[in-house]
Amino acid sequence: MVESSRSLGYDRADWASAFRNVGTELTALPLQASRGQIPAGLQGTLYRNGPGRLERSGRWLHHPFDGDGMITALRFAPEGVTLTNRFVRTEGWLAEEAADQFLYRGVFGSQKPGGAVANAFDLRLKNIANTHVVQLGDQLLALWEAAEPHALDPDTLETRGLSLLDGVLKPGEAFSAHPRFDPGHHGAPRMVTFGVKTGPRSTVRLMEFATEDDPATGVKAGQLLSERRDSFNGFAFLHDFAITPNWAVFLQNAIAFNPLPFVLGQKGAAQCLQSQPGGKARFWLIPRDSGAYAGQPPRIIEAPDGFVFHHLNAWEEGETVAVESIYYADFPSIGPDVDFRSVDFDLLPEGLLEQCRINLADGTVSTIRLSERCCEFAMVNPEREGLPCRYGWMAVAERDTGNDPLQAIKKLDLLSGERRVWSAAPRGFVSEPLMVPRAGASAEDDGWVLCLIWNGARCASDLVILDAASMEELAVLELPLAIPYGLHGSFVPA
Ligand code: CO
């Protein structure tokens, strides 16, 4: 355990107690609010994805991001709330369950038993389906960006198997874990997403899918509506992107990939990424087929230094494309000799929300910082995705500056800087908050924020429901389930 010179606002044992295996799979278990009242207007299903298996036969993964995907579904209906959770039955999970040991290496540095000798030249990827979960047509898709999605039953969460999306994907084709949902900028809503094939040159495949049936045209939900491929110089590490009505906005971080330690069995593939100080980060703006610049080549514009995993939102204002992103001073990686459970937060850069305004007329970019508080997992009202927004909701650290675990949820007024914070500190730790608009609402902040909390006092997970406008706590549901820190999720209205 790392000693810190400052007094922490949390207990490291509480924080680390979330790192464990999910031991049970529940089916439609009825739940009651432990505190408060579940809002009557909240109807639909909250889906969460994240690593649910971190240890086998006493051997720990090197990084939780290498853990097998486990889906949690909380269904809000007039008759009450139910909880279902299932591991995604990936090929790797099934084989490792049967063998009771890790049989694959992980991208973030987890190794098979037997050291470098056993791991060298084993370049197989285990599709762990652990990063995001979204509904497309009649399937739930468990996403992992380096390979195709797993299709699940939206009600039971039973795994149907790998999906090529009706022949859209080739077997093993990369399919991002960060789709963006266009609320209908050019008519019907769409799911916009991408896949990257990377190397000395990288190719981005941009895809747009229908999310609703359209009886007039015969288009079915889940159908591919348009796609394009664009190639760029350099290695691309693209985890997320942003959309506006006319553009898909990518940020190519200034990062290099040296695969040798991965091939030789010394490091995971993601541990071979290294930021290049003074290197050339670039925005890649790809015209959307539904927009005003359809068919034109991409615009490539130099971007400021820093490393980005996630964007908040993007929008257009005349000749300007603005994109808001969470910037790190450097690529935050955990070296081969460090146990993730004893990581020193003070040695890692914090995520800071910044806004870049890209002037398409002259190619210049200006940047402002929107907040000094460490944050991650930010979103706007999903009905305003791609438009100028007044508010963002995000997970933040408890203290105002510096890096710390995420313990609070912040609503930030992006224009005035005013903020409202709900905190789970000192014993609670938050995951990605989801803003769910109230059906028929007109105000941008009319709705709820749903978030799974790691409750260190109970050593289990709570669901907290906040009023999205006031950030007041409306209800807490204590789940009979201990879910490690998760990644992404979505809300599907009833
Ligand atoms: Co992500």
Side-chain angles (χ1 to χ4, degrees), residues 381 390-393 409-413 418-422 434-438 441 443-450 465-474:
N381 180 326
R390 172 115 191 228
Y391 301 111
W393 290 264
I409 306 168
K410 181 169 81 170
K411 174 197 185 193
L412 179 63
D413 183 325
E418 189 201 335
R419 64 197 190 179
R420 285 169 192 253
V421 174
W422 176 90
L434 284 186
M435 191 277 173
V436 178
R438 186 192 307 272
E444 191 183 320
D445 57 355
D446 187 359
W448 307 279
V449 174
L450 307 186
I465 303 171
L466 310 177
D467 180 297
S470 68
M471 297 298 279
E472 278 167 38
E473 182 181 300
L474 299 178

Side-chain angles (χ1 to χ4, degrees), residues 131-132 145 177-178 239-240 309-310 376-377 432 487-488:
T131 313
H132 200 346
E145 67 193 24
H178 270 282
H239 176 67
D240 191 10
F309 289 106
H310 294 129
E376 248 306 343
F377 299 130
E432 174 191 63
L487 293 166
H488 302 292

Side-chain angles (χ1 to χ4, degrees), residues 127-139:
N127 182 341
I128 50 179
N130 73 353
T131 313
H132 200 346
V133 56
V134 297
Q135 184 156 349
L136 183 65
D138 62 356
Q139 336 217 69

Side-chain angles (χ1 to χ4, degrees), residues 137-370:
D138 62 356
Q139 336 217 69
L140 203 58
L141 300 178
L143 301 172
W144 185 67
E145 67 193 24
E148 66 269 59
H150 282 80
L152 315 177
D153 183 300
D155 289 323
T156 65
L157 304 183
E158 300 305 332
T159 304
R160 293 172 177 163
L162 286 172
S163 173
L164 300 178
L165 304 175
D166 285 328
V168 170
L169 302 177
K170 294 201 180 83
E173 184 174 337
F175 189 72
S176 160
H178 270 282
R180 291 279 175 178
F181 287 85
D182 172 339
H185 295 307
H186 302 284
R190 291 176 164 207
M191 184 179 96
V192 187
T193 191
F194 66 99
V196 192
K197 198 169 176 229
T198 195
R201 264 177 88 71
S202 299
T203 300
V204 177
R205 183 185 184 194
L206 187 67
M207 293 165 268
E208 307 211 5
F209 295 86
T211 57
E212 292 177 353
D213 293 339
D214 181 356
T217 58
V219 166
K220 294 273 184 218
Q223 192 174 323
L224 184 70
L225 297 174
S226 72
E227 65 168 318
R228 59 178 284 168
R229 284 184 170 85
D230 294 278
S231 293
F232 303 85
N233 284 327
F235 175 82
F237 176 82
L238 303 174
H239 176 67
D240 191 10
F241 79 132
I243 55 168
T244 71
N246 294 310
W247 301 99
V249 182
F250 293 87
L251 175 54
Q252 182 200 23
N253 292 296
I255 202 154
F257 179 62
N258 167 18
L260 200 60
F262 169 57
V263 173
L264 296 179
Q266 297 155 347
K267 287 183 174 183
Q271 292 173 305
C272 301
L273 295 170
Q274 216 173 14
S275 69
Q276 295 180 297
K280 296 176 189 69
R282 289 190 179 90
F283 288 111
W284 294 342
L285 274 64
I286 301 180
R288 292 181 56 196
D289 285 333
S290 50
Y293 311 102
Q296 293 186 15
R299 307 286 294 269
I300 301 174
I301 292 161
E302 284 215 11
D305 285 349
F307 187 88
V308 169
F309 289 106
H310 294 129
H311 304 288
L312 166 63
N313 189 32
W315 75 92
E316 298 167 48
E317 206 175 81
E319 285 282 270
T320 297
V321 174
V323 54
E324 288 158 341
S325 315
I326 298 165
Y327 276 84
Y328 293 84
D330 196 358
F331 176 62
S333 78
I334 296 181
D337 304 322
V338 181
D339 182 336
F340 68 84
R341 290 166 294 173
S342 53
V343 67
D344 184 349
F345 282 89
D346 287 334
L347 297 181
L348 290 173
E350 71 269 37
L352 296 169
L353 187 64
E354 301 195 344
Q355 182 190 87
C356 288
R357 298 175 81 90
I358 306 165
N359 184 326
L360 293 179
D362 63 9
T364 56
V365 176
S366 62
T367 304
I368 55 168
R369 183 164 291 168
L370 296 173

